[in-house]
Amino acid sequence: MKLTGRTILITGGSAGIGLAFALKFLELGNEVIVTGRRQAVLDAVKSRHPKLHTIQSDIADPKQIVDLAARVKAEFPKLDVLMNNAGVGAAMNLTAPASDLTALTSEVDINFGGVIRMTSALIDILTVNRGTIINVSSGLALVPLPSNAIYSATKAAVHSYTQSLRFQLESSGVEVIELMPPAVRTDLTDEFAEHGVSMISTEKLVKLTFAALRSGKAEIRPGQSQQLAFLRRLAPNFINRQLWKASKGMVPAEAA
């Protein structure tokens, strides 16, 4: 992947993994646009990093995606990288009825639906500019974390979708890359640390990912994600059981 002179849109780029990648791309001389749901957070990011472009948008809302795509095409006609990064996740108790069936599938709407909708909304400009799509899934796409069952399922869906998308776009000039991070130390993973789950820093993730991008990898499995891929083939029952043991304490006592 060409890493300089690009115009890059990163969803969920106001914090965590997304912001770490935004700042690295910015450092390399790219034009970077980040989106997020909370305007106050975006304003704070803009004040600290004035060269970043920020746009408020909720990828769970199809209408907002339509509006975002129209604005980006008008203001950034050279857009040639889409990084589908935005995501949410929570441990859930699946053993009893949920009180809110709409909220129950919010991770599906954001983590998977958002990737599909954003890609569709911008595929025309990415094709014209012979661009790159980077879909952020997870090592949990390969081996689920049972406490976070719906989150893991959405990432498995992103993995499958990305493979199919790569085939469909192989003659279009659009490059399709999948990033499958391990557990990363962010505000969203505080509970992982409390239960002794091993994590890497955002800095380490960025370093490993950019090394893989420079080498031309289409499926990037940094750190423990590569180990999960190996163990899934070698001893699937063992690694599934190990992740259940590690995450069992994170399951809420009651359904949401």
Side-chain angles (χ1 to χ4, degrees), residues 8 26 82 107 140 192:
I8 303 167
L26 194 65
L82 168 64
E107 290 170 281
L140 300 179
F192 284 13

Side-chain angles (χ1 to χ4, degrees), residues 126-137:
L126 291 169
T127 300
V128 168
N129 292 332
R130 299 182 70 82
T132 301
I133 297 169
I134 304 173
N135 288 338
V136 180
S137 61

Side-chain angles (χ1 to χ4, degrees), residues 4 9 27 30 42-43 71 100 103 108 135 146 184 189 196-197 203 224 227 230 241 245:
T4 59
L9 173 64
E27 178 187 310
N30 299 285
L42 290 169
D43 291 343
R71 178 176 174 181
D100 185 342
V108 178
N135 288 338
V184 180
T189 56
V197 176
E203 294 80 9
Q224 287 190 329
Q227 297 171 25
F230 174 74
R241 178 62 62 180
K245 288 180 179 178

Side-chain angles (χ1 to χ4, degrees), residues 34-141:
V34 298
T35 74
R37 290 181 292 173
R38 295 170 292 174
Q39 187 62 54
V41 175
L42 290 169
D43 291 343
V45 169
K46 181 69 173 177
S47 68
R48 293 195 304 271
H49 310 287
K51 290 186 178 181
L52 281 179
H53 303 281
T54 60
I55 301 176
Q56 191 280 326
S57 184
D58 184 353
I59 65 163
D61 184 344
K63 174 62 166 59
Q64 290 192 41
I65 289 179
V66 170
D67 293 343
L68 171 64
R71 178 176 174 181
V72 168
K73 291 172 186 178
E75 297 181 12
F76 303 97
K78 293 184 180 180
L79 181 80
D80 60 352
V81 179
L82 168 64
M83 186 172 188
N84 283 310
N85 165 76
V88 295
M92 291 191 181
N93 187 325
L94 306 180
T95 65
S99 59
D100 185 342
L101 293 180
T102 299
L104 184 65
T105 57
S106 61
E107 290 170 281
V108 178
D109 295 333
I110 295 170
N111 298 358
F112 187 39
V115 171
I116 296 171
R117 295 178 185 128
M118 283 296 301
T119 301
S120 181
L122 294 170
I123 193 61
D124 51 355
I125 189 172
L126 291 169
T127 300
V128 168
N129 292 332
R130 299 182 70 82
T132 301
I133 297 169
I134 304 173
N135 288 338
V136 180
S137 61
S138 169
L140 300 179

Side-chain angles (χ1 to χ4, degrees), residues 28 86 115 143 150 207:
L28 293 174
V115 171
V143 182
I150 297 175
K207 180 180 179 180

